[in-house]
Amino acid sequence: MWPWHAIISFQALGLLLALALSANGRLSGPSPFLPAAIMSSPRLDLSEKKEAQADTRSIGDSSDDSGDDNKLLEIGYVPSFKREFSNIATISFAFSIMGLCSSVATTFNSPLLLGGPSSVTWCWILGATMCFTLGASIAEIVSAFPTCGGLYTASAQLVPKRQRPIVGWVVGWLNILGQILGLSSTEFGLANMIWAAVVVGKGEDYPLTSGKAVGLFVGLLILHGILNCLATRQLARLTTGFVFVNLGATFIIIIVLLATTPRSEMHTASYVFGKEGIVNQTGGWNDGIAFLFGLLSVQWTMTDYDATAHISEEVKRAAYAAPSAIFIAVIGTGLIGWLLNIVVVLCSGPLENLPGPSGSAFLEIMVLRMGKPGALFLWAFVCLTAFFVCQTALQAASRTVYAFSRDKGLPDRGFFGHISSWTQTPLRAIWFVTIIGVLPGLLDLASGIAVNAIFAMTAMALDLSYIIPIFCRRWYRNHPEVKFVPGPFYLGDGIIGWIANVNCILWTLFVVVIFALPTVLPVTGETMNYAAPITGGVILLSLVWYAVGGRKHYKGPASNRTDLGTAGAPLDDPLAVHDTEKAHAM
C-alpha cells in the first residue's frame, strides 16, 4: 500500500504537470484559484518602451513574450535574452539540475556506510518532505521576481533600503560560490563515475591516478563550456530531452534490479525499513547521529532549486513556468528518488562487500545483480544524467554571474554583464564560470583532503543563500519600504504559507549543523569536516571586501534602463520603475 501522502503528492504532481503543459500563453481572464489582486497586477504597454536601449534586442508589443518582458521592465531591467524555453523544457531543466539517479548514485555511499540501509530509506523521504517546503517557498519568490538574478535579486528587494546593498552582496556571493563549486564538484564526481566504470570493466588492478581524474574533469568542464555557447533556442531544444533520459534511466534501473534479484536474496523489510537496517559505522557517533547522516544524500541531491530562476529571462511565461517547474521537480525527485533508494537497498546484497573495488556502492550493486555488461550499459545513462546536471548547472551559474556583474557586484565594470550579439547569451560569464570551476578540481593533484574540503561548502552555501530571502520576506512583511508583490505562484499569508516558510528555515538551519559535523570519529586531518569554517570564512571575507571596496561600486540590484534615466539606480521596489514611467507619461 502506498502511504496517503505519497498518493496525494502524485495527484498534485499530475495536476501541476497538466497545468504547466497547458499554460502555453493562451490563458486569459482571472483564475478561480488565485486572488484577483494577484491576477490583475499592473502590466505596462510595450509601446511606451521604444526608447529602451541597454545592450539588448528590440521589444515589440506584438510579441508573445510581452507579458514577461513587461514584468521585467517593471522590475527595472531591459530584456536581454530570447525567451525560447517552453514549459516542458523548463520542467526538464528543473529535473535535470537535481540529477536524480546520478545524484543518488554519487551520494549513496554516505547514508549506506554511515547510518545503514534504514538511514538510506527513511532519511530520504524525511529530507524530501522538508525540501518540498523549501522548494515551494523558493518558487513563491521566483514567481514574484522572475529575473536571472533569482533569489539574489529578490533578497535585496525584501529588506529596507539601507540594508539592500549588504544583503544583496552576501546572498549574491554565497549563491555564486555555491553554484560554481556545485558545478565543479558534480563535474569531478562525473569524472570519477566514468573512471569507476573503467575499473569495473578492466579489473580492480587498473591504475587510477589523480592526474587521470583531474584530466578528465578539466576536459568535461571545457566541453560543457563549449556546449553552453549555443544560442538559447539550441539550449532549449537540447534541454528538453534531459528529463526523459533522467527519469527513463531511473525507472529502467528500478525494473532491472527487481527483475534480476532472486526473491530469496532480497533483504527483509526490517533490513530496509527497520532496526536491523541501522548499522552505525561512524567510529564513535551514537546511532541517532549516524542515522541522520543519511540526510547528506537527499540534501545534496535536492539542492540548487533556484537554478530554474536563473534562466527565467529565457523562459516563456516565466512567472508561471519557472515556479511550477521547481515545484513539480521537487515533488517528482523526492518520490521517485525514494522508490529508487528502497529498491537499491532491497537488492543490495551483503553490506560488508560494499562499496567494492570501484568505490561506488551503487555501481557495485548494479554489477552484482545485472552482471558487468548490463550494469555498465545502464551506468552509461547514469553518467549521461550527471552530464546533463553539469550542463544545466553551468548555464544557471553563468546567468547568476551575468546578473551580479550587471548590478556592479563584481569589480569588473560590467565586463561579465555583457550579452553576445552573436548567440544572445552571456559568453563572457560562461567562460568565467568554466575557468573558475576548473580551479577547485586542480587541488586534487596536491591533496584529496583539500578538494573535498572546498566541495563540502557547496550545499551549505546554497542553502543559506535560499533561506535569507525567505526569512526577510516574512520579517519585513510590514515594513513601509518593503513592497512584496506576489506572483501567480503564491502560498499566501495564511497558515499554509507561514508553515512552509518557517519550516524550511528551521529545517535548513538544522541540516547545516549536520553538514558541519565530521562523519567519522576520531577527528583527524583526513576526517575533519571543513564545510563550516570555509563557509564562515567566505561570509567573513565577503563582508570585509564589501567594507573595504565593494560598497563603493555596489549599491544593490540596479536598473539598466536608459529610457527613463534610471540606469545604474538601485531598484527601490518591484514597481519603482513603473511609478517613474507614470510620472514621465504625465
Side-chain angles (χ1 to χ4, degrees):
M1 294 289 292
W2 284 93
W4 64 270
H5 52 76
I7 296 174
I8 293 175
S9 297
F10 270 122
Q11 291 174 338
L13 175 61
L15 175 61
L16 285 167
L17 182 59
L19 288 172
L21 294 176
S22 64
N24 57 4
R26 298 185 180 90
L27 299 180
S28 61
S31 166
F33 304 104
L34 296 172
I38 300 174
M39 297 302 294
S40 61
S41 56
R43 294 290 184 267
L44 306 182
D45 185 357
L46 281 174
S47 62
E48 299 174 8
K49 314 298 183 300
K50 293 182 180 179
E51 299 178 1
Q53 297 177 4
D55 190 24
T56 182
R57 62 188 172 91
S58 60
I59 305 169
D61 57 5
S62 62
S63 169
D64 293 336
D65 307 323
S66 59
D68 293 307
D69 291 343
N70 280 334
K71 178 61 179 177
L72 198 59
L73 287 164
E74 290 173 9
I75 295 175
Y77 295 117
V78 177
S80 301
F81 295 89
K82 290 184 178 180
R83 297 186 183 274
E84 302 286 0
F85 274 75
S86 63
N87 295 312
I88 188 64
T90 308
I91 292 172
S92 181
F93 187 97
F95 265 104
S96 298
I97 198 68
M98 297 186 193
L100 192 50
C101 64
S102 64
S103 296
V104 171
T106 54
T107 60
F108 191 73
N109 283 13
S110 294
L112 182 68
L113 303 180
L114 293 174
S118 291
S119 175
V120 174
T121 53
W122 286 117
C123 281
W124 180 277
I125 192 60
L126 171 62
T129 302
M130 297 302 176
C131 287
F132 168 73
T133 64
L134 179 57
S137 299
I138 290 173
E140 177 183 45
I141 295 178
V142 169
S143 183
F145 299 92
T147 77
C148 62
L151 296 183
Y152 145 69
T153 300
S155 64
Q157 305 308 310
L158 297 173
V159 296
K161 294 180 181 179
R162 186 176 180 180
Q163 300 172 21
R164 286 172 187 171
I166 187 65
V167 171
W169 179 269
V170 172
V171 172
W173 277 111
L174 278 176
N175 198 261
I176 287 174
L177 289 174
Q179 286 194 66
I180 293 178
L181 290 176
L183 165 65
S184 187
S185 63
T186 305
E187 201 79 82
F188 198 80
L190 172 58
N192 284 310
M193 288 169 67
I194 294 173
W195 283 120
V198 173
V199 170
V200 169
K202 291 185 173 292
E204 56 185 274
D205 295 331
Y206 180 82
L208 180 58
T209 64
S210 295
K212 291 180 179 180
V214 172
L216 181 57
F217 157 76
V218 173
L220 287 169
L221 196 49
I222 292 175
L223 176 58
H224 280 116
I226 294 172
L227 288 175
N228 265 277
C229 290
L230 294 171
T232 304
R233 174 170 294 184
Q234 282 71 47
L235 287 173
R237 289 176 178 174
L238 183 64
T239 304
T240 300
F242 290 177
V243 66
F244 301 106
V245 176
N246 189 352
L247 298 183
T250 302
F251 283 117
I252 290 174
I253 290 171
I254 291 172
I255 293 169
V256 174
L257 279 176
L258 291 174
T260 56
T261 304
R263 184 67 179 270
S264 60
E265 295 183 17
M266 290 184 179
H267 289 292
T268 63
S270 177
Y271 183 86
V272 179
F273 298 102
K275 188 174 182 180
E276 184 184 346
I278 299 178
V279 182
N280 185 345
Q281 300 187 70
T282 61
W285 289 112
N286 60 48
D287 288 349
I289 297 296
F291 178 83
L292 290 175
F293 282 142
L295 293 171
L296 297 176
S297 177
V298 64
Q299 295 294 148
W300 270 89
T301 301
M302 299 183 67
T303 191
D304 212 359
Y305 309 88
D306 69 325
T308 308
H310 296 302
I311 66 163
S312 60
E313 293 185 31
E314 300 164 79
V315 173
K316 299 176 181 179
R317 293 175 55 80
Y320 293 85
S324 297
I326 295 171
F327 194 77
I328 292 169
V330 169
I331 295 177
T333 299
L335 293 176
I336 300 171
W338 190 34
L339 178 60
L340 175 62
N341 276 285
I342 291 173
V343 170
V344 174
V345 170
L346 184 68
C347 305
S348 60
L351 183 61
E352 58 269 20
N353 294 341
L354 299 174
S358 68
S360 170
F362 196 99
L363 177 56
E364 291 294 336
I365 293 168
M366 292 175 62
V367 171
L368 172 67
R369 299 308 179 191
M370 306 175 192
K372 284 185 180 181
L376 292 178
F377 176 76
L378 286 180
W379 189 251
F381 289 95
V382 177
C383 292
L384 188 60
T385 302
F387 187 89
F388 294 156
V389 175
C390 298
Q391 174 69 16
T392 51
L394 178 51
Q395 184 179 352
S398 66
R399 273 49 173 182
T400 311
V401 169
Y402 161 81
F404 204 46
S405 176
R406 177 177 64 180
D407 292 335
K408 306 298 185 289
L410 297 175
D412 64 338
R413 298 186 178 182
F415 179 80
F416 295 110
H418 175 266
I419 295 293
S420 168
S421 58
W422 180 41
T423 62
Q424 213 69 42
T425 57
L427 294 183
R428 296 175 184 175
I430 289 169
W431 286 105
F432 172 82
V433 171
T434 302
I435 294 171
I436 297 299
V438 166
L439 300 180
L442 296 179
L443 290 174
D444 192 57
L445 296 174
S447 169
I449 299 175
V451 71
N452 288 329
I454 296 295
F455 289 157
M457 71 164 286
T458 299
M460 187 179 291
L462 285 175
D463 285 349
L464 289 175
S465 75
Y466 298 156
I467 64 172
I468 291 174
I470 297 171
F471 172 81
C472 293
R473 144 116 168 82
R474 291 297 181 180
W475 186 259
Y476 293 109
R477 65 190 182 281
N478 295 322
H479 197 283
E481 294 180 356
V482 178
K483 299 177 183 178
F484 176 73
V485 181
F489 189 99
Y490 183 40
L491 297 177
D493 282 327
I495 188 170
I496 294 178
W498 272 97
I499 289 176
N501 292 162
V502 173
N503 180 81
C504 74
I505 292 172
L506 295 178
W507 175 255
T508 300
L509 293 175
F510 170 72
V511 169
V512 165
V513 175
I514 301 298
F515 276 136
L517 296 176
T519 56
V520 176
L521 296 179
V523 178
T524 65
E526 294 185 357
T527 62
M528 172 63 182
N529 187 336
Y530 297 92
I534 291 178
T535 304
V538 167
I539 296 175
L540 179 61
L541 287 175
S542 71
L543 291 174
V544 172
W545 185 6
Y546 177 79
V548 173
R551 59 189 177 89
K552 297 178 182 178
H553 59 81
Y554 180 73
K555 306 298 180 183
S559 172
N560 68 344
R561 294 191 59 180
T562 59
D563 58 321
L564 300 176
T566 58
L571 302 178
D572 289 336
D573 61 68
L575 296 180
V577 178
H578 176 49
D579 295 338
T580 304
E581 282 186 322
K582 289 175 65 178
H584 276 253
M586 294 178 61

